[in-house]
Amino acid sequence: IAANRDNEKGIDGIADNVRIMVLKAVPAGDERDKDIALAIRYAADNGAQIINASFGKYLSPHKKWVAAAIRYAAKKGVLIIHAAGNKGLNLDTVSHYPSNGDEDGIYPNMITVGALNTKLEVAPFSNYGSKVDIFASGEKVPVTISNNRYGQAQGSSISAAVVTGMAARMLSE
């Protein structure tokens, strides 16, 4: 999203002049609705303008908590960029939370992102369907990794980061 663009090393980020608020909302294992909802509210209350959300699941016992947090963020003008998931499923026929919105309708502040392969086709692992708003690079994407190294990654989480960078760049302009 915001790697240094002027150092002639590694990779170039997408957006300049951004600050990253790092929140660990998913502990080891499956994410908990309570943790996701609290992280969204915390980010919205502490100045986040865009939330990059690389979480999601097919069963959500307390999905209303997450839905309320997303709508709370909307009232504060926060855009949420959400990864569509990596099971190759049609989200029109399979529930994936929070991608599909809730019984009160779609989320007005959420963009759900699927992954494209290197041929700019929908990657076979990417979830898809009318609930997916946009697709972005999601295969063999250059990324930073630990210990000052660089590598490649794939998945709709990477695609969501690409779109988050673009949204941040647009916002900064």
Side-chain angles (χ1 to χ4, degrees):
I1 296 170
N4 188 325
R5 298 171 58 82
D6 297 323
N7 66 0
E8 298 183 21
K9 308 188 237 186
I11 64 172
D12 286 343
I14 298 169
D16 292 321
N17 303 317
V18 298
R19 294 182 309 164
I20 305 288
M21 178 190 304
V22 178
L23 301 177
K24 183 176 181 179
V26 179
D30 201 11
E31 65 265 13
R32 297 179 192 111
D33 295 325
K34 168 190 64 89
D35 297 329
I36 296 299
L38 290 173
I40 291 169
R41 287 177 179 272
Y42 179 89
D45 286 342
N46 286 281
Q49 295 174 296
I50 303 169
I51 295 173
N52 178 51
S54 292
F55 57 80
K57 53 189 175 179
Y58 301 94
L59 178 64
S60 182
H62 301 288
K63 62 185 176 186
K64 289 186 182 266
W65 297 347
V66 177
I70 292 168
R71 290 200 184 340
Y72 177 82
K75 289 178 185 171
K76 293 199 162 241
V78 178
L79 175 64
I80 299 175
I81 311 289
H82 184 256
N86 301 316
K87 299 240 183 212
L89 300 174
N90 182 346
L91 296 185
D92 294 338
T93 59
V94 175
S95 294
H96 184 256
Y97 303 100
S99 299
N100 293 2
D102 62 12
E103 52 274 351
D104 295 326
I106 63 168
Y107 301 117
N109 61 322
M110 181 180 282
I111 297 172
T112 299
V113 184
L116 295 175
N117 65 20
T118 57
K119 296 177 184 176
L120 300 181
E121 301 165 336
V122 175
F125 58 80
S126 180
N127 288 351
Y128 60 93
S130 66
K131 306 290 184 184
V132 180
D133 300 301
I134 192 168
F135 288 83
S137 296
E139 187 177 77
K140 296 183 180 177
V141 177
V143 296
T144 57
I145 55 177
S146 61
N147 298 322
N148 293 319
R149 295 180 301 141
Y150 304 94
Q152 294 182 338
Q154 74 174 27
S156 63
S157 292
I158 295 300
S159 304
V162 169
V163 174
T164 298
M166 293 299 294
R169 187 174 179 103
M170 292 168 61
L171 184 62
S172 70
E173 295 292 326

